[in-house]
């Protein structure tokens, strides 16, 4: 049987929780879906070694007290099942859920760029390292190099050091002038300025990026370019992330307009599809503060409370200003496109190398000839890398959007999947 809700929210990070709390007083039947065990998203991810901020704990508690809001944790969207109908799966079952209004709060993922040795055991994303540590990974006395771009590098460093790791280098690819200019403007957002001072590190270097991860069976050292010099640093782990990429696959499948890798929304956080809204980092990376206010606006707009939503526009403009400065300061250096060598693996699922891809003109041709993007991640990692490396447009994700049980697919009637 198909279940029905008045308002469906996909994603229980800051934006999704804020949207649900804003819309709940109207008394609508609301469902919140998230693939994590507990609400909070990636930024407020829980785990045995995680410190979840009080704000996140308070929002979770508020959601639990609402009789008209149900949070489906560990739940994934498998396919579209017709107009305003989705096929879902969690650990216990698969089912079809229909809705009147939808708010997409699908967040973002790390941008991973291939370089020699990036598939060695011990190499992860910068955010990936944070998630592993929060989940219980021991890093006591391990030497760690963190490289890539953006404030996430400093946050990952702080998490690692808190759990006993020795961070030997933080390599930020942005130049000193850009980072200094960004820092000088943080007086407009005092909490961010305090955070930057708190996360500061003596091993932080600008105009620096990884050249190669070295080792035979696992990571043993990292070769890093710092300015005009090259250094090799012995280490047990490398955490490397080049910013974030909005998760727009479900939005694209629903027909929502996407521009510059983000869902296009208007002042009310409404997408190009009627009754479909979007908020948070799927509309562009800007941090938890921007995600929270966008979520509240989307939740209020979705229930028709536009006067209340309008009152939050000024706060959104303030945090959008921070996001704009952040994204400008940490824009990727074109030189990063040259890190991969001909024999560097780009598609890890199907073991497709850079030389196998470079001769093709677009993603579709490359996929037909090499099987890139046909593994478990369905191209989420390698197509994003190919977009940066070759300028290829990302592919349209096809159902099933995630691996699913046959019993879940059997919930669909013939012709349901679109």
């Amino acid at each position: 049987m198909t279940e029905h809700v008045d308002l469906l929210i996909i994603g229980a990070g800051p934006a999704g929780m804020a949207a649900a709390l804003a819309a709940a007083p109207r008394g609508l039947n609301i469902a919140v879906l998230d693939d994590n065990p507990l609400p909070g998203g990636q930024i407020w991810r829980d785990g045995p070694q995680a410190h979840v901020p009080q704000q996140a704990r308070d929002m979770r508690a508020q959601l639990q007290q609402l009789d008209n809001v149900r949070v489906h944790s560990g739940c994934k969207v498998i396919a579209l099942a017709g107009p305003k109908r989705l096929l879902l799966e969690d650990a216990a079952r698969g089912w079809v859920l229909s809705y009147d209004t939808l708010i997409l709060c699908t967040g973002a993922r790390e941008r991973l760029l291939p370089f020699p040795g990036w598939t060695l055991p011990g190499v992860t994303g910068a955010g990936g390292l944070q998630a592993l540590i929060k989940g219980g990974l021991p890093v006591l006395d391990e030497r760690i190099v963190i490289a890539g771009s953006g404030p996430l590098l400093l946050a990952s460093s702080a998490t690692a050091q808190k759990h006993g790791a020795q961070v030997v280098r933080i390599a930020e690819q942005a130049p000193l002038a850009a980072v200094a200019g960004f820092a000088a403007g943080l007086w407009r957002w005092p909490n961010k300025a305090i955070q930057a001072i708190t996360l500061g590190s003596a091993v932080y270097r600008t105009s620096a990026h990884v050249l190669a991860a070295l080792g035979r069976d696992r990571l043993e050292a990292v070769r890093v370019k710092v300015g005009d010099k090259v250094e090799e640093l012995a280490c047990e782990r490398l955490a490397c992330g080049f910013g974030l990429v909005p998760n727009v696959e479900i939005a694209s499948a629903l027909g929502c307009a996407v521009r510059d890798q983000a869902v296009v929304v208007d002042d009310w956080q409404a997408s190009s599809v009627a009754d479909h809204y979007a908020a948070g980092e799927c509309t562009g990376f800007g941090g938890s503060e921007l995600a929270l206010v966008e979520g509240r606006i989307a939740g209020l707009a979705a229930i028709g409370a536009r006067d209340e939503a309008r009152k939050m526009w000024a706060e959104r403009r303030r945090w959008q200003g921070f996001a704009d400065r952040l994204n400008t300061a940490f824009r990727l250096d074109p030189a990063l496109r040259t890190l991969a060598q001909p024999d560097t693996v780009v598609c890890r699922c199907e073991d497709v190398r850079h030389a196998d891809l470079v001769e093709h003109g677009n993603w579709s041709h490359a996929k037909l000839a090499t099987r890139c993007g046909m593994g478990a991640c369905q191209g989420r990692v390698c197509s994003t890398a190919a977009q940066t490396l070759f300028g290829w447009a990302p592919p349209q994700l096809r159902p099933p959007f995630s691996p699913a049980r046959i019993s879940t697919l059997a919930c669909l009637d013939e012709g349901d999947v679109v």
Side-chain angles (χ1 to χ4, degrees), residues 1-25:
M1 293 180 61
T2 299
E3 298 180 9
H4 181 81
V5 294
D6 301 314
L7 174 61
L8 175 62
I9 300 170
I10 302 178
M17 289 197 289
L21 292 172

Side-chain angles (χ1 to χ4, degrees), residues 52-404:
V52 180
Q54 186 62 48
Q55 183 179 18
R57 296 199 297 271
D58 290 344
M59 294 178 74
R60 281 182 188 170
Q62 292 173 46
L63 285 176
Q64 291 174 351
Q65 294 169 4
L66 295 170
D67 294 333
N68 62 319
V69 178
R70 183 175 179 183
V71 178
H72 298 271
S73 297
C75 180
K76 294 183 178 182
V77 177
I78 302 302
L80 310 188
K84 293 189 175 183
R85 288 162 51 92
L86 299 176
L87 176 65
L88 310 177
E89 181 182 273
D90 62 16
R93 62 171 181 149
W95 75 103
V96 173
L97 182 67
S98 66
Y99 58 87
D100 294 326
T101 305
L102 173 68
I103 303 178
L104 292 159
C105 303
T106 48
R109 62 183 182 275
E110 280 192 277
R111 184 193 306 274
L112 304 176
L113 296 180
F115 52 86
W118 77 301
T119 59
L120 281 171
V123 181
T124 66
L129 176 65
Q130 267 198 314
L132 287 168
I133 293 173
K134 290 178 180 180
L137 176 74
V139 293
L140 181 64
D141 295 330
E142 289 191 342
R143 296 165 297 179
I144 298 178
V145 173
I146 298 175
S149 191
L152 182 57
L153 305 186
L154 290 170
S156 296
S157 172
T159 299
Q161 291 184 77
K162 180 180 177 181
H163 290 87
Q166 177 190 356
V167 176
V168 297
R169 176 69 70 238
I170 304 173
E172 166 58 59
Q173 61 87 39
L176 176 60
V179 175
F182 171 74
L186 287 180
W187 61 268
R188 295 170 55 192
W189 304 276
N191 64 318
K192 293 296 185 182
I194 294 171
Q195 189 178 60
I197 294 171
T198 303
L199 295 177
S201 173
V203 298
Y204 184 86
R205 300 290 185 273
T206 56
S207 297
H209 63 261
V210 63
L211 292 175
L214 310 175
R216 181 168 298 178
D217 298 321
R218 65 161 291 116
L219 180 71
E220 298 173 8
V222 178
R223 185 175 296 133
V224 178
K225 184 176 182 181
V226 182
D228 296 328
K229 298 180 179 180
V230 175
E231 56 185 21
E232 287 192 7
L233 304 167
C235 61
E236 283 72 47
R237 294 193 183 277
L238 167 62
C240 197
F242 297 91
L244 300 176
V245 181
N247 291 320
V248 300
E249 290 79 10
I250 295 175
S252 294
L254 289 165
C256 302
V258 173
R259 184 173 59 240
D260 298 330
Q261 299 178 273
V263 182
V264 177
V265 293
D266 64 12
D267 289 339
W268 307 105
Q269 301 296 138
S271 77
S272 61
V273 177
D275 301 323
H276 289 65
Y277 298 77
E281 293 182 344
C282 65
T283 67
F285 174 60
S288 61
E289 294 86 358
L290 180 60
L292 285 166
V293 68
E294 286 183 349
R296 287 193 288 268
I297 291 171
L300 291 169
I303 62 173
R306 290 200 164 193
D307 288 342
E308 292 180 62
R310 192 190 302 271
K311 295 176 183 177
M312 298 180 182
W313 286 6
E315 184 182 358
R316 181 178 58 189
R317 282 195 301 271
R318 177 170 176 262
W319 287 111
Q320 186 60 57
F322 171 78
D324 292 343
R325 289 183 63 90
L326 180 71
N327 293 322
T328 297
F330 296 99
R331 184 181 293 116
L332 293 185
D333 187 334
L336 298 174
R337 298 173 185 168
T338 65
L339 295 180
Q341 300 300 307
D343 63 344
T344 301
V345 170
V346 176
C347 175
R348 299 179 297 185
C349 296
E350 296 294 328
D351 199 29
V352 180
R353 301 177 186 277
H354 187 275
D356 300 324
L357 298 174
V358 70
E359 63 188 62
H360 300 286
N362 58 54
W363 176 259
S364 296
H365 290 169
K367 185 175 182 180
L368 286 171
T370 69
R371 292 185 56 84
C372 64
M374 297 179 72
C377 85
Q378 294 186 292
R380 286 176 174 87
V381 174
C382 56
S383 70
T384 301
Q387 187 173 22
T388 302
L389 296 174
F390 311 121
W392 294 348
Q396 180 84 26
L397 193 65
R398 297 188 299 175
F401 303 142
S402 296

